[in-house]
Amino acid sequence: MLRIALGSCAGFLISKYMNWPYGVFFAVYPMLLLGMLPKFDRLIAWQFMVGVAVNVVEIYLLNVFFKHHPALMIMGVFAVFFVHFRLMAKGSHFLLWASGIVTLSVLLHFSSYPDASLTDMTMAAFLATLISVISAAVLYWLIPETDPIAPPPQHNVTFAQINHRTLMGAILATLSFVVFQIFDLKDSLSAQVATVLVLFPMTFRGSLENSMKRAKGVALGCALGITVQLLMYDLIRYLPLVVIAMFITVMLTARLHLIERTGSGMGFGALTTIGILFGQYLQPNSDMLYSSMYRFSSVVVALSLLMSLAWLLDGFLNRFAITRNV
C-alpha cells in the first residue's frame, strides 16, 4: 500500500511541480509498475523501460508512413497490436508487451489530434517511465518485501489457443482505436484505457469478468474523486493539500486492490481511475464532478459494446480448429 501510494504521489508531485504536460502518465505508471507485480527486479525494470522505447519507435513509424492514410493506419495499428498480443500469448516477456499496449493505445489516440505534440507526449511517457522505475527501486529498498513470493503459474497453451487469443486482443484493441477516432472521444481516457486493460486475460470469460470488476472500480474511483473535490472546494489550488488527498484515496483503493489479489479487479480499477482523475482532470479551474460522471458513463458504455463484440468474435473464432480456444 505504501509503495503504491508513495510512488504514484511522487510522480504526480514531480510532474505538477515541474509543470510537465500529461500528468496522467506520471500518476498512473507507478500504479501499473507497483500494483500489478508482486516484486521488482532488474528484469522488470528493463521490460518496463524497453516497452516504452519500443512504443516510441512504433508511434513515429505509424505517424510518418500512415498518418494521412486512414485505411493503411488501421492496418498498421492492427499489425502492431497483433505482434504485442502474439508475444503476450506465448508468454514472452509479458510485462514488456502488455505495458506497451496501454501506452501505445493512449499515444496513438492523442497523437492523432492536430493540437497535440507527439514529441511532448513521448517525452512525458519516457520521463514518467524513468521516474516510476527509480521510485520503485527506492521504495523496494526502503520498504522491502518480507513475504515469500510464489512463482507465477505455468500455462500450457496450444497453437490454436495462441491464435485465438492473439486475434481476440488485436482485433478488439484495433476496433477500440477506430471507434474512439471516429467519434472524436478525446476526453474519454478512462474508457479507452479500460477497453485495453480488460483484454489482458485474452479470453472472453476472463475479459468479461474483468469488465464487470472494472466498471465497479471506476464507479468507486469516481465517487472518491467527487468526495475529494467537495471536501476541498477552493483549497484545491494548493498543491500540498491535493497531494495529501491523493495519498489518502490511493491508500484506500490500493488496500482494496491488495485484498482482492486478482490483478486487474475492482480495486485496481478504482486505483487507476484515481490516477487518471488527479493526473488529467484535477485542476483549480476544472470541475471533477462532471469529469467523474462522464468517466463512469463512458466506461460502462465502452465496456458493454466491447464485450458484445468480444462475445461475437469469440464464437466466430471457435468455429475453426486453427483458432479454437478449448
Side-chain angles (χ1 to χ4, degrees):
M1 287 170 56
L2 283 172
R3 285 196 296 260
I4 295 172
L6 291 172
S8 59
C9 288
F12 172 78
L13 178 61
I14 292 172
S15 68
K16 293 300 181 183
Y17 182 78
M18 298 298 293
N19 197 28
W20 288 336
Y22 305 103
V24 64
F25 292 137
F26 298 89
V28 174
Y29 276 19
M31 295 175 177
L32 296 174
L33 184 58
L34 295 167
M36 290 295 288
L37 301 167
K39 65 176 183 177
F40 178 81
D41 54 28
R42 291 182 180 179
L43 178 60
I44 290 174
W46 175 83
Q47 289 188 62
F48 203 68
M49 296 188 68
V50 171
V52 174
V54 170
N55 290 153
V56 171
V57 174
E58 291 168 339
I59 290 292
Y60 271 104
L61 289 176
L62 288 171
N63 275 275
V64 168
F65 291 105
F66 306 134
K67 185 174 183 179
H68 302 293
H69 307 281
L72 294 178
M73 173 63 88
I74 293 172
M75 294 171 62
V77 169
F78 173 79
V80 171
F81 280 134
F82 184 91
V83 171
H84 278 257
F85 278 103
R86 186 77 177 182
L87 294 172
M88 285 169 60
K90 289 183 175 180
S92 303
H93 303 300
F94 186 91
L95 175 63
L96 189 159
W97 304 109
S99 62
I101 287 177
V102 177
T103 303
L104 183 65
S105 179
V106 174
L107 292 181
L108 273 173
H109 181 60
F110 282 97
S111 64
S112 65
Y113 292 92
D115 59 336
S117 170
L118 183 58
T119 302
D120 288 346
M121 292 180 66
T122 53
M123 184 59 68
F126 223 19
L127 288 171
T129 302
L130 182 61
I131 291 173
S132 298
V133 169
I134 293 174
S135 64
V138 172
L139 288 169
Y140 267 92
W141 174 66
L142 293 174
I143 314 172
E145 190 66 43
T146 56
D147 296 331
I149 300 172
Q154 296 294 327
H155 296 288
N156 296 319
V157 292
T158 65
F159 180 72
Q161 287 176 318
I162 292 175
N163 291 337
H164 183 100
R165 297 175 184 188
T166 301
L167 289 172
M168 280 280 291
I171 292 174
L172 292 174
T174 304
L175 287 175
S176 173
F177 166 73
V178 172
V179 170
F180 277 86
Q181 288 286 287
I182 291 175
F183 291 97
D184 196 24
L185 301 175
K186 187 178 181 180
D187 296 327
S188 301
L189 181 59
S190 291
Q192 185 183 23
V193 171
T195 58
V196 174
L197 286 176
V198 298
L199 298 177
F200 284 179
M202 291 184 288
T203 62
F204 170 67
R205 289 188 177 181
S207 295
L208 180 61
E209 183 179 349
N210 272 11
S211 295
M212 292 186 289
K213 292 179 179 179
R214 183 80 191 178
K216 294 177 182 178
V218 170
L220 175 59
C222 290
L224 289 172
I226 293 171
T227 302
V228 167
Q229 178 144 32
L230 291 176
L231 291 176
M232 295 189 68
Y233 197 52
D234 59 347
L235 295 177
I236 207 169
R237 64 179 180 270
Y238 298 108
L239 182 59
L241 295 180
V242 173
V243 174
I244 293 173
M246 180 179 178
F247 180 82
I248 294 172
T249 53
V250 170
M251 284 285 282
L252 292 172
T253 52
R255 177 175 174 78
L256 176 60
H257 166 59
L258 294 172
I259 289 175
E260 283 184 307
R261 295 184 179 272
T262 58
S264 184
M266 176 181 173
F268 192 72
L271 184 64
T272 52
T273 299
I274 291 295
I276 293 171
L277 287 174
F278 274 82
Q280 189 78 3
Y281 302 105
L282 189 64
Q283 306 289 341
N285 57 348
S286 66
D287 178 18
M288 203 198 291
L289 177 62
Y290 169 77
S291 297
S292 299
M293 298 302 293
Y294 179 70
R295 297 289 82 70
F296 175 68
S297 59
S298 62
V299 166
V300 171
V301 172
L303 291 181
S304 298
L305 293 174
L306 183 74
M307 288 301 101
S308 298
L309 292 172
W311 177 73
L312 294 172
L313 182 60
D314 181 68
F316 176 76
L317 293 176
N318 279 328
R319 292 175 177 268
F320 308 97
I322 197 172
T323 56
R324 187 170 294 145
N325 187 39
V326 292

